[in-house]
Amino acid sequence: MASLAESAKRSAAAGRRGAPSPAPAVSRAGQRRARAICSAGRLASGRRAPAGAGGTMELKKDSNAVSIDMLLIVHSEKRRVAQGAHSDRPADPGAPPQRRGGLQCVENGIRRWQKLEGNDLRGNLVEKQHAQQTQVITSYDNQGTQLTVEVHPRDAMPQLFKKFSLAKRLQVDKNGNTRPRQPGGKDTHAYPWDRSSLKSMPLDLQQFEKLDTYASQVTVKSGLEELVSDLLQEAHSDLEIVRAIWIWICHHIEYDIEAAQEKDRQAFKPTAILQTQKTNCDGYAGLFERMCRIAGVQCMTVPGYSKGFGYQPGQSFSGEFDHAWNAVFLEGRWHLVDSTWGSGLVDSSTSKFTFLYNEFYFLTHPALFIEDHFPDNKNWQLLKPPQSLRQFENNMYHKSEFYNKGMLSAQPQTSIIKTAFPAIQRTFIRNPLSWVPSSQAQDTAGKETVNGKATVTIESCAPTLFMFMLNGKQEHGLLSLRKNGMKLDVYPPTAGTHKLQIFAKGNSEIYSSVLEYTLKCHCADMDVRLPAELHQPVGPSWFSEQMGITKPSHSEPVIYTSDGRCSVSFGVVEGISVLASLHGDDGPITEETQRRYIFQLHREKRTELKVQLPHAGKFALKIFVKKRQEPGNYLFVFNYLICCTNTKVNWPVFPESFGNWGVDNELLEPLSGVLPANRNVPFKLKLHGVAKALVKGQDTWPLTLSPEGYWEGSCSTAGCREVYVMVLENANHSFYSYILKYQVNAQ
């Protein structure tokens, strides 16, 4: 028998005199949703019709809009009751429509919801009975146009909480049920990510602030339809509807790890999800699709592979699909969402789920979505040309935090980096950290690089703090910050496979993982050994300048010295105190002694650090700062790597300074903290704000103030083990303060 819509077309063609005048053009929202309400026994035109009579209604728009031919059949109350006693039983307005078939398994293992709407009448006419004898008639034609009409009792007041739904671009299966069409060639978009936005359509997230707050606070009262109705109270467009549903799911549904592991089929039924508020990825996707369909927005569930929990860089994908997400049709195009990953994350160490909203997976740009989502149907990539599964496996995986924290690109672009010695040649070059055989080296993905070194660079849109871990430790690498990113040189300590993780810090105090590489090192450089205390970052940067250290004398992170001595200077913002210490892996050096190999001087608003190495090797010169007027500890800012290959180096410590050693004082001689025995040792210092100065050994030796402003004199080291420099700060005082301490070599 012909469908209701087809009958309407024939009736309208037979005679249009009794039909209402063409409707005026409607808004875009009206193209999706309209409403027709008639009292029993009356036509839409307002004229009374006899019981059982038929009438026609025609809604038209311009040539680019949809047109509707509708035949409205109205029966009297008695005839309706006689036709079906089941109509007297009120339906639960909150319960979802009856489903035929329920959950069905796709051949590849992903469970997909089949939306079999209601009990069919002649293949495509659905009737639902509401309280107070309200009829809802839904009709579909063979092009997939859906038309819903409510018929209320003669004297009843219509309830306007439901709206007429006109769903365009739907497909009708052989049973008359509707589903959105699959994307075709015209839905693919040949556009790479242009770095202007992470979204597939222009969005101002601030416009969602009120809606997000509202949607996140909506609670489940009865069933799914009432929940959707509540969410629609603040949603006035398809985009806002999708946003409200997305926010509600992301803030209320918890990932059910046990159900995911056991593949519990019950865990992803909407009724079960609303009761437990827990589900797996299939349930997230099925619930999202069902809620969108109730709201009149086209949505599809997309199964596929994912680089999610437990993923290892470079792994292959086969067998059953392990994930499911959604596609929604907005403003004439398909867009991608993943409410599972938008809701939170699973801790790999505890296997516990934590709610942590992730905006990245809402309407994600397809060029970014493909990095961790590979759909079963290549058309759902929404890319031209689509990627192959092999490309998906080999491509570098940038985690969502990579983009959330403003990262733009990274090199290498594949997840596996090979490091090895190439064929040894007779030509030798100097490695920054050792002498090794050389050849043409390339720091690119999958290529062999010189000296077992791997180099990773990241470009960011703003200054960002980074850190790294190699096999779970912050060792064996040099990380330098740049205004637009960072550079990391990693030297694996042994041959084999290593895990390299890179973290970035955004507005919060938490570092988040943004990249992960697998390093395959065929031959490690044993001559390169970095100090264990070498923290990140290495070298001055925008961050050290932000912390009050400016215009450094050495802009590179590595300092080479042939005699074991060097001097580093930089400007210091007023009110900032600087502390430095030297750290090496060889020799039992205490924390106090570590500072004794550095002597700090201040000259014309610049701080100078004189460094003397105790022996050859590699050392970390760590620099800390704090505000003088504020309590608390010094904060680490950065460090230099100091390298010396001269095995004859054996410098002593500098003299020990006390608290009264002023920040503007200057020591010219003697700089060595260990003095020879039985010698007259000259002293020369610039001291500010003192009345007298002397050197005390076995005897006391006064220092005199020269015209140039230096306190000068000499002291004999005979008969003593320690020598002190002392000052009298006020001429009216009678006691001296210690400011420097020297040791005297034993005879």
Side-chain angles (χ1 to χ4, degrees):
M1 180 173 290
S3 67
L4 180 60
E6 291 171 348
S7 300
K9 291 179 180 179
R10 290 197 298 268
S11 177
R16 299 183 181 273
R17 292 183 181 178
S21 60
V26 295
S27 65
R28 180 173 296 178
Q31 296 178 28
R32 181 187 55 79
R33 193 181 288 128
R35 179 178 177 85
I37 303 176
C38 304
S39 296
R42 294 185 183 272
L43 297 178
S45 61
R47 293 178 296 170
R48 185 177 181 85
T56 64
M57 178 187 298
E58 181 182 8
L59 302 180
K60 286 188 176 181
K61 195 175 179 289
D62 56 46
S63 58
N64 295 322
V66 288
S67 63
I68 305 172
D69 294 322
M70 180 178 70
L71 171 65
L72 178 62
I73 302 176
V74 183
H75 296 288
S76 66
E77 186 75 14
K78 292 182 179 180
R79 183 170 179 180
R80 285 176 53 247
V81 173
Q83 286 180 339
H86 68 276
S87 301
D88 295 331
R89 184 179 45 151
D92 181 2
Q98 292 182 344
R99 302 185 182 276
R100 181 189 305 163
L103 298 171
Q104 297 185 0
C105 286
V106 184
E107 61 182 359
N108 50 35
I110 278 292
R111 295 169 290 273
R112 181 181 295 173
W113 285 106
Q114 298 293 338
K115 301 296 182 290
L116 306 180
E117 304 281 359
N119 296 318
D120 292 348
L121 176 60
R122 296 176 181 174
N124 58 10
L125 181 61
V126 183
E127 292 189 8
K128 295 193 300 182
Q129 299 298 325
H130 296 286
Q132 299 181 354
Q133 306 301 327
T134 299
Q135 281 188 288
V136 177
I137 305 173
T138 302
S139 175
Y140 311 96
D141 68 7
N142 54 9
Q143 277 76 41
T145 299
Q146 174 183 325
L147 180 63
T148 301
V149 178
E150 291 186 6
V151 182
H152 295 265
R154 178 178 302 173
D155 300 324
M157 179 66 68
Q159 297 180 9
L160 300 179
F161 69 91
K162 286 192 175 182
K163 298 180 180 180
F164 171 86
S165 176
L166 177 62
K168 298 174 59 179
R169 303 176 68 85
L170 298 178
Q171 289 181 329
V172 182
D173 62 20
K174 63 182 180 181
N175 297 319
N177 299 291
T178 62
R179 287 183 64 81
R181 65 169 177 80
Q182 294 280 340
K186 61 183 179 181
D187 295 301
T188 61
H189 302 277
Y191 58 151
W193 180 48
D194 62 4
R195 310 202 293 190
S196 61
S197 173
L198 305 181
K199 305 297 186 181
S200 55
M201 63 187 300
L203 288 183
D204 178 9
L205 295 180
Q206 292 183 349
Q207 69 176 327
F208 296 132
E209 289 182 356
K210 181 180 178 181
L211 178 62
D212 290 355
T213 301
Y214 169 79
S216 63
Q217 296 174 354
V218 172
T219 57
V220 179
K221 298 176 182 178
S222 58
L224 197 60
E225 292 190 359
E226 185 176 1
L227 172 61
V228 173
S229 178
D230 290 342
L231 290 173
L232 296 188
Q233 297 301 315
E234 294 293 333
H236 307 295
S237 67
D238 282 358
L239 174 60
E240 291 183 347
I241 289 172
V242 171
R243 180 71 180 191
I245 294 172
W246 156 270
I247 288 294
W248 189 89
I249 292 178
C250 288
H251 287 80
H252 290 84
I253 305 303
E254 177 182 349
Y255 188 79
D256 192 339
I257 300 175
E258 295 181 359
Q261 294 173 343
E262 298 174 2
K263 298 184 179 180
D264 184 359
R265 295 171 61 89
Q266 300 297 320
F268 50 85
K269 290 184 177 180
T271 53
I273 296 174
L274 293 187
Q275 291 174 357
T276 64
Q277 296 204 349
K278 298 174 66 176
T279 186
N280 56 14
C281 61
D282 294 335
Y284 274 100
L287 179 63
F288 190 91
E289 178 182 345
R290 180 63 186 140
M291 293 177 72
C292 286
R293 296 287 301 280
I294 291 174
V297 177
Q298 297 180 61
C299 180
M300 292 284 283
T301 295
V302 182
Y305 295 122
S306 68
K307 295 179 179 178
F309 178 72
Y311 167 74
Q312 298 296 325
Q315 79 175 54
S316 299
F317 292 89
S318 62
E320 291 188 356
F321 293 121
D322 59 7
H323 194 43
W325 55 94
N326 295 101
V328 291
F329 195 80
L330 299 172
E331 299 185 8
R333 288 168 52 183
W334 287 103
H335 302 268
L336 303 170
V337 299
D338 187 340
S339 55
T340 308
W341 291 6
S343 61
L345 50 83
V346 177
D347 189 317
S348 58
S349 59
T350 62
S351 294
K352 299 294 184 181
F353 174 81
T354 301
F355 277 105
L356 186 63
Y357 176 72
N358 193 340
E359 174 65 37
F360 178 78
Y361 291 105
F362 179 74
L363 306 186
T364 315
H365 194 294
L368 306 182
F369 203 77
I370 191 60
E371 291 196 20
D372 47 19
H373 292 73
F374 188 83
D376 65 334
N377 183 337
K378 64 181 181 180
N379 289 339
W380 281 123
Q381 296 181 24
L382 305 182
L383 294 173
K384 185 178 181 181
Q387 288 191 12
S388 66
L389 180 59
R390 180 60 58 86
Q391 288 175 307
F392 175 75
E393 293 171 344
N394 293 336
N395 284 351
M396 182 61 203
Y397 170 35
H398 304 92
K399 298 185 178 181
S400 61
E401 286 301 298
F402 180 90
Y403 298 107
N404 286 339
K405 287 185 164 49
M407 309 296 106
L408 299 174
S409 64
Q411 296 290 338
Q413 295 184 357
T414 58
S415 57
I416 298 178
I417 306 176
K418 297 179 181 179
T419 67
F421 287 113
I424 298 178
Q425 299 182 1
R426 295 185 177 182
T427 303
F428 285 77
I429 64 170
R430 183 181 182 187
N431 180 280
L433 302 180
S434 65
W435 288 85
V436 293
S438 71
S439 70
Q440 295 295 324
Q442 298 181 8
D443 291 335
T444 56
K447 303 292 184 179
E448 295 185 343
T449 59
V450 173
N451 309 328
K453 180 184 75 170
T455 298
V456 176
T457 60
I458 293 180
E459 179 188 1
S460 62
C461 61
T464 306
L465 289 175
F466 294 88
M467 62 170 285
F468 78 93
M469 283 190 176
L470 185 66
N471 302 325
K473 297 181 179 180
Q474 298 183 52
E475 298 179 358
H476 310 294
L478 300 176
L479 190 152
S480 302
L481 296 178
R482 300 172 177 177
K483 286 188 176 181
N484 62 338
M486 72 89 176
K487 178 184 178 183
L488 171 64
D489 290 330
V490 180
Y491 299 85
T494 60
T497 301
H498 305 268
K499 181 179 180 180
L500 173 62
Q501 296 170 287
I502 299 177
F503 303 82
K505 181 179 178 182
N507 296 328
S508 67
E509 293 299 315
I510 300 175
Y511 281 87
S512 302
S513 177
V514 295
L515 285 178
E516 185 173 317
Y517 289 94
T518 296
L519 303 186
K520 293 187 176 181
C521 181
H522 298 287
C523 187
D525 186 351
M526 305 309 296
D527 293 329
V528 177
R529 188 178 65 174
L530 302 177
E533 288 292 325
L534 186 71
H535 291 173
Q536 313 304 321
V538 179
S541 65
W542 61 267
F543 177 68
S544 57
E545 183 174 350
Q546 181 178 297
M547 298 296 289
I549 296 178
T550 63
K551 299 179 180 179
S553 59
H554 295 68
S555 58
E556 295 298 319
V558 182
I559 298 175
Y560 300 96
T561 171
S562 58
D563 64 355
R565 294 185 298 178
C566 66
S567 176
V568 178
S569 64
F570 40 78
V572 179
V573 174
E574 186 176 355
I576 297 294
S577 294
V578 177
L579 180 67
S581 58
L582 190 71
H583 303 262
D585 289 340
D586 297 328
I589 301 178
T590 64
E591 182 176 352
E592 178 183 353
T593 307
Q594 289 168 349
R595 296 193 179 97
R596 295 282 300 279
Y597 285 99
I598 305 168
F599 197 80
Q600 187 171 324
L601 303 173
H602 298 272
R603 297 175 180 172
E604 299 179 355
K605 297 184 179 181
R606 288 184 67 83
T607 294
E608 181 182 3
L609 302 177
K610 291 183 176 294
V611 181
Q612 295 181 165
L613 301 181
H615 51 75
K618 300 182 182 69
F619 296 84
L621 174 60
K622 305 178 71 171
I623 299 174
F624 306 81
V625 300
K626 75 178 292 291
K627 292 183 178 180
R628 295 174 185 170
Q629 303 301 325
E630 294 183 2
N633 299 325
Y634 281 82
L635 300 176
F636 170 76
V637 180
F638 73 100
N639 45 209
Y640 285 105
L641 175 64
I642 301 179
C643 301
C644 179
T645 59
N646 188 349
T647 57
K648 297 181 179 180
V649 166
N650 185 21
W651 291 103
V653 294
F654 285 102
E656 181 180 355
S657 60
F658 296 93
N660 289 333
W661 175 261
V663 294
D664 295 325
N665 291 346
E666 181 179 350
L667 174 65
L668 275 72
E669 57 179 350
L671 288 176
S672 174
V674 180
L675 303 178
N678 301 319
R679 297 280 185 88
N680 284 327
V681 179
F683 282 78
K684 186 176 182 180
L685 307 91
K686 179 171 284 189
L687 307 173
H688 298 274
V690 301
K692 293 183 180 180
L694 58 84
V695 179
K696 183 179 184 301
Q698 183 72 17
D699 299 312
T700 300
W701 308 83
L703 300 178
T704 59
L705 184 61
S706 70
E708 292 79 15
Y710 291 98
W711 292 89
E712 298 181 84
S714 62
C715 169
S716 174
T717 60
C720 61
R721 300 292 302 273
E722 297 174 338
V723 172
Y724 294 90
V725 176
M726 308 175 67
V727 297
L728 184 67
E729 296 180 357
N730 192 313
N732 297 324
H733 293 171
S734 58
F735 57 88
Y736 284 79
S737 300
Y738 295 98
I739 59 173
L740 293 176
K741 176 183 178 181
Y742 293 85
Q743 296 176 346
V744 178
N745 272 330
Q747 296 182 358

